[in-house]
Amino acid sequence: MKQNIDNNNEKFTGAEIFVKCLEAEGIELVFGYPGGAVLHIYDELHKQNEVSHILVRHEQGAVHAAEGFAKSSNKPGVVLVTSGPGATNSITGIADAYMDSVPIVVFTGQVRTALIGNDAFQEVDTVGITRPCVKHNFMITNVKDMASTIKKAFYVATSGRPGPVVVDIPKDITEDKCEFNYPKSVSMRSYNPHIEINSDSIIEAAEKILSCEKPVIYAGGGVINSNASEELTNFAKYLNFPVTNTLMGLGCFPGDDPQFIQMLGMHGSYEANMAMHDCDLLIAVGARFDDRITGRLDKFSPDATVIHIDVDPSSISKNIRAHIPIHGDVKDAINKLSQEIIGKKLRPKNIDNWWNQINEWRKKDSFKYNQEGDIIKPQFVVDSLYNVTNGDAFITSDVGQHQMWAAQLYKFNKPKRWINSGGLGTMGFGLPSAMGTQFANPDSLVCCVTGEASIQMCIQELSTCLQYGLPIKIINLNNRYMGMVRQWQEFFYEKRYAMSYMDALPDFVKLAESFGHVGYKVEKSSDVEPALREAINQKNRLVFLDFITDQNENVFPMIATGAAHNKMILS
Amino acid sequence: MRHIISVLLENESGALSRVAGLFSARSFNIESLSVATSEDLTASRMTIVTSGDDAVIEQIVKQLDKLVDVIEVSEITSNEHIEREIVFVRINNSEIDKKIMDKLESYEFLKIHNSKSNDLIIECVDSPENINQFVSTIKKIAVKIVRSGAVGINSN
């Protein structure tokens, strides 16, 4: 890390110190939107070239962009917004980052300290409002605390189980002056993310791994956050165990590997969910047994011994009791397990019978669809995107049916390629997170798989994309319905489609053009692949592809809320 | 099952609301909560009386420990411990008869304060069970009851 310590008693304003802290922290990019309370900071940003500022069109977009940036790189995302509405507009993004453990630091302006609590113009209790959806938050009440607080904010956001940290800065603090001294390290007695893994639990887990007959490795986003994909893959390959991924874990194990039994959960594959139900050993790695994964808790993996590896102890035995809890960093835990098993050249039992069973389940081909005739099946678009991009693009998505099809059909072979909103399920995430992803990976292809409902929730960011020349490809699966809402209404509300129909849709081609981009409408299945190729060939332009898709298509398989894993609706 | 959880946390503004917010956000029970300074000037000690089965208490402890401001969490009821609570009861003097006086005298740490009006204020420091008993004895004639919630310490 670059250190920037001025020790010559020179005094700087809080705003100057703020910018110096970002520089010292190695931050190159800030997503934000100016306003009264942060004008001193913006003035300082304007005077220098080390830290670039990306102007979004809505603060929610800034946070999602920072999330996309962080999720597709190994760096924290940084956001700067003003007080009051600037802060409240960023809340959805902050809550999203909290649910998906994304390391971001959000700086919010605040009214002057003398005005706090007086219902001042653009005042809101940001620390109070954000408290339930941050890993931690701070308010700086003295300029002397600016540098140490910013250092702590980045440390807390990026260590342990990552998450969003909010730093609220009253305007007068950015005027006050003091010396600048950026701390080299942080030590907080109340926060220690470095955990020594209990070796007894490693030995116990290794014994179970070597003696089981029907194992499943259930790997989640924690593997990606821990940068442990390679370790997990090697470990699973050595054992020849089946691997399933959560929505957040996709890419942490190669999606085209024969040991991969696809995503599990509500819209997971038949083989993954059946294997979860019937297994005798469940190895949960960096996953948190969320309700979309487990379905009915008392019918979940009834015969399994559960090994649960997680950096957050409160995730262990929260929903499903772990027989062998392993509290610690995922990478560290897998390395220790590997030493215990691979290091000692021990071999697990033969599990051919289990693989035979899984391969039987696989024959259901539960993600299959039928592309016949001219009407475009949404799955066909994702499939074609996979083929045209050789499976090597960064894919962001919004929330709904298109998200599930992208997760099911785009086979992610690398971590940090699949950027989506899993925990909070935030429609509007796709486009701004694609911007952050493109900034973090300027030479890579970034595609946003979205739907006509989701894309409208942060559509204003098309303007940001033009300003910074972001050549994102928007894959709009336009079925003129809020597809997932419609699907639930079809199944569970006797086809009463309350408010799920999108009447008065814009002409997306003209809309894209009005923002200065290229737009194409694609209505025939035979045009899908050519359109995708054409879009990708336009290397320097944002291309909005509006695919008019089959309105009646549903996401299968599906486990209804509260049903067991072996009770899947297949079609 | 009733549990007492003792939390040592940084004496930062908002620390109390982090704990209180955690309990309401995750639907954990709070029977009582008391917070004051500790042996360390920069840290406060909070005593929370809560209830729940073992899994819930495990979650409460883990979630508290996860709060960045929290230095130390311990569940003190599973080991030998002492707990005390204080209660003030205001009663109308004219309501006190011999029977009640006899009962009151059986309480160990009882003090009677005279007030300017015709009321008596009774102070009782005792274990929560005894306080409960005391309160039920005197409830009928009480004008006001003010309880502190329990604090506790492990005795082993």
Side-chain angles (χ1 to χ4, degrees):
Chain A
M1 199 197 321
K2 203 166 80 174
Q3 291 296 329
N4 190 345
I5 297 167
D6 293 290
N7 249 340
N8 51 2
N9 299 333
E10 193 184 344
K11 290 195 171 176
F12 300 94
T13 66
E16 289 172 307
I17 291 173
F18 176 87
V19 176
K20 282 173 175 289
C21 288
L22 294 187
E23 269 182 48
E25 198 58 45
I27 302 302
E28 290 162 8
L29 219 55
V30 176
F31 299 93
Y33 203 102
V38 285
L39 283 180
H40 293 313
I41 293 177
Y42 271 85
D43 197 41
E44 289 309 320
L45 283 171
H46 188 74
K47 292 176 188 165
Q48 52 81 55
N49 293 314
E50 297 287 321
V51 183
S52 305
H53 179 276
I54 307 304
L55 178 68
V56 295
R57 298 301 184 268
H58 185 289
E59 289 87 348
Q60 182 186 350
V63 187
H64 292 327
E67 287 185 274
F69 182 85
K71 283 185 175 195
S72 64
S73 70
N74 281 317
K75 300 172 199 164
V78 182
V79 175
L80 174 61
V81 297
T82 194
S83 64
T88 55
N89 277 346
S90 68
I91 301 285
T92 300
I94 294 169
D96 191 275
Y98 183 61
M99 290 293 269
D100 285 348
S101 311
V102 189
I104 59 168
V105 178
V106 179
F107 295 98
T108 53
Q110 183 54 276
V111 301
R112 294 170 180 281
T113 45
L115 291 174
I116 290 176
N118 281 319
D119 304 318
F121 176 64
Q122 293 196 327
E123 179 185 2
V124 80
D125 175 10
T126 303
V127 168
I129 289 180
T130 57
R131 191 175 294 126
C133 60
V134 291
K135 184 171 174 186
H136 197 55
N137 58 19
F138 300 92
M139 183 195 270
I140 301 178
T141 51
N142 188 324
V143 69
K144 288 180 180 153
D145 298 332
M146 175 85 79
S148 62
T149 305
I150 292 176
K151 181 78 190 174
K152 276 185 197 168
F154 281 102
Y155 173 62
V156 171
T158 54
S159 58
R161 178 178 178 179
V165 173
V166 167
V167 183
D168 202 27
I169 309 176
K171 188 169 187 181
D172 51 320
I173 304 299
T174 62
E175 292 163 353
D176 293 349
K177 286 186 166 184
C178 76
E179 289 163 22
F180 174 64
N181 196 341
Y182 199 65
K184 279 188 183 141
S185 61
V186 193
S187 152
M188 295 165 76
R189 63 173 171 175
S190 62
Y191 176 74
N192 178 15
H194 304 292
I195 309 140
E196 201 54 50
I197 290 178
N198 178 342
S199 56
D200 289 350
S201 60
I202 294 288
I203 292 167
E204 202 186 338
E207 279 168 8
K208 284 283 175 199
I209 288 168
L210 294 170
S211 62
C212 68
E213 287 169 356
K214 296 189 286 182
V216 176
I217 295 173
Y218 147 57
V223 178
I224 296 172
N225 275 339
S226 174
N227 283 321
S229 300
E230 200 184 321
E231 288 79 1
L232 177 88
T233 304
N234 292 340
F235 186 62
K237 298 296 280 181
Y238 177 85
L239 295 169
N240 186 34
F241 283 5
V243 179
T244 180
N245 277 166
T246 68
L247 182 66
M248 302 310 296
L250 292 170
C252 81
F253 185 83
D256 61 5
D257 190 284
Q259 272 173 249
F260 188 57
I261 58 171
Q262 311 296 329
M263 181 173 77
L264 80 163
M266 182 172 271
H267 295 296
S269 76
Y270 185 72
E271 58 270 29
N273 287 332
M274 290 303 285
M276 288 292 280
H277 186 268
D278 283 11
C279 67
D280 68 354
L281 181 67
L282 181 55
I283 309 167
V285 191
R288 60 186 176 87
F289 293 90
D290 138 284
D291 57 286
R292 287 295 197 261
I293 293 296
T294 59
R296 189 170 158 178
L297 284 173
D298 62 342
K299 302 273 179 180
F300 179 79
S301 303
D303 304 320
T305 298
V306 176
I307 299 171
H308 191 174
I309 303 170
D310 208 289
V311 73
D312 175 5
S314 72
S315 283
I316 300 176
S317 295
K318 182 175 69 181
N319 299 330
I320 294 292
R321 177 137 294 269
H323 303 95
I324 307 175
I326 301 179
H327 172 211
D329 175 58
V330 164
K331 188 183 231 168
D332 190 18
I334 296 174
N335 281 337
K336 290 207 159 66
L337 276 173
S338 297
Q339 281 162 19
E340 193 62 29
I341 295 171
I342 307 174
K344 293 183 179 169
K345 298 199 168 67
L346 301 172
R347 284 279 165 195
K349 279 189 164 177
N350 181 310
I351 57 163
D352 287 353
N353 286 340
W354 180 230
W355 272 117
N356 290 340
Q357 173 65 72
I358 289 170
N359 289 331
E360 274 308 304
W361 289 326
R362 263 183 177 157
K363 285 181 188 160
K364 294 262 187 203
D365 192 11
S366 56
F367 294 161
K368 68 173 175 280
Y369 64 93
N370 202 0
Q371 176 61 63
E372 280 176 345
D374 283 346
I375 297 176
I376 301 170
K377 294 285 183 188
Q379 300 95 320
F380 177 65
V381 179
V382 177
D383 236 356
S384 305
L385 181 67
Y386 175 74
N387 292 329
V388 167
T389 59
N390 299 316
D392 203 29
F394 286 82
I395 306 290
T396 75
S397 95
D398 270 298
V399 170
Q401 288 185 318
H402 65 268
Q403 176 190 26
M404 291 300 111
W405 286 316
Q408 289 178 340
L409 297 166
Y410 200 99
K411 295 181 260 303
F412 294 94
N413 283 338
K414 294 175 189 165
K416 296 181 186 277
R417 291 299 176 104
W418 167 236
I419 316 293
N420 87 131
S421 166
L424 195 66
T426 310
M427 290 169 70
F429 177 85
L431 176 56
S433 67
M435 301 187 322
T437 303
Q438 189 76 76
F439 276 114
N441 305 275
D443 301 322
S444 301
L445 176 63
V446 178
C447 303
C448 168
V449 177
T450 182
E452 82 291 341
S454 282
I455 191 68
Q456 290 190 75
M457 285 213 182
C458 280
I459 194 78
Q460 73 285 346
E461 299 307 331
L462 283 175
S463 177
T464 311
C465 293
L466 183 73
Q467 182 171 350
Y468 298 99
L470 302 175
I472 296 163
K473 311 305 172 209
I474 296 175
I475 315 298
N476 190 37
L477 303 182
N478 185 347
N479 64 355
R480 289 83 70 210
Y481 271 118
M482 291 167 209
M484 192 57 91
V485 173
R486 187 203 50 71
Q487 178 168 343
W488 280 58
Q489 289 170 335
E490 181 185 331
F491 291 178
F492 309 121
Y493 296 88
E494 296 168 326
K495 302 190 177 181
R496 289 186 299 276
Y497 298 132
M499 294 293 141
S500 58
Y501 180 69
M502 293 294 277
D503 213 349
L505 282 172
D507 178 334
F508 286 106
V509 173
K510 282 187 184 157
L511 184 140
E513 286 169 357
S514 77
F515 275 101
H517 303 301
V518 179
Y520 298 119
K521 188 172 185 173
V522 188
E523 294 178 279
K524 273 169 65 180
S525 56
S526 55
D527 292 338
V528 169
E529 275 212 24
L532 287 167
R533 287 188 199 285
E534 166 64 21
I536 291 164
N537 282 339
Q538 300 218 23
K539 291 214 181 313
N540 301 317
R541 300 294 298 271
L542 182 147
V543 182
F544 192 118
L545 291 173
D546 187 23
F547 292 98
I548 307 303
T549 62
D550 189 340
Q551 288 198 282
N552 299 314
E553 206 53 40
N554 288 318
V555 180
F556 292 115
M558 179 169 184
I559 303 173
T561 314
H565 268 172
N566 58 352
K567 305 284 178 213
M568 265 167 284
I569 310 166
L570 288 174
S571 62
Chain B
M1 200 25 200
R2 180 177 174 275
H3 292 261
I4 299 179
I5 294 167
S6 182
V7 184
L8 187 69
L9 73 170
E10 294 289 357
N11 201 359
E12 304 269 353
S13 72
L16 171 63
S17 65
R18 284 184 211 281
V19 173
L22 169 70
F23 273 73
S24 64
R26 295 193 180 266
S27 296
F28 299 144
N29 294 316
I30 296 187
E31 201 176 285
S32 73
L33 184 156
S34 74
V35 56
T37 52
S38 68
E39 65 281 1
D40 178 344
L41 286 177
T42 62
S44 304
R45 180 164 279 106
M46 190 180 277
T47 311
I48 304 164
V49 180
T50 182
S51 58
D53 59 26
D54 289 350
V56 169
I57 300 301
E58 182 183 330
Q59 263 301 303
I60 291 175
V61 170
K62 284 173 167 177
Q63 293 290 350
L64 283 169
D65 211 19
K66 200 164 123 179
L67 292 176
V68 169
D69 280 340
V70 168
I71 302 162
E72 195 182 281
V73 184
S74 52
E75 196 287 315
I76 65 171
T77 23
S78 51
N79 287 308
E80 261 183 61
H81 66 284
I82 304 162
E83 49 180 299
R84 286 292 177 267
E85 188 174 352
I86 185 167
V87 64
F88 291 114
V89 182
R90 179 190 283 269
I91 48 174
N92 196 300
N93 216 345
S94 61
E95 300 271 357
I96 298 187
D97 57 21
K98 173 85 174 68
K99 222 171 105 191
I100 287 177
M101 273 322 271
D102 286 348
K103 267 193 191 170
L104 292 182
E105 273 165 20
S106 67
Y107 291 99
E108 216 177 322
F109 309 106
L110 205 102
K111 267 189 196 168
I112 296 180
H113 306 268
N114 290 310
S115 82
K116 279 182 184 164
S117 61
N118 198 26
D119 291 348
L120 283 184
I121 293 168
I122 305 177
E123 170 195 315
C124 178
V125 179
D126 213 324
S127 68
E129 300 84 54
N130 287 348
I131 297 261
N132 284 342
Q133 212 180 38
F134 166 69
V135 166
S136 65
T137 306
I138 210 159
K139 204 158 149 190
K140 270 188 191 156
I141 56 167
V143 180
K144 192 178 225 176
I145 298 174
V146 180
R147 293 181 72 155
S148 66
V151 290
I153 191 165
N154 280 119
S155 53
N156 47 352

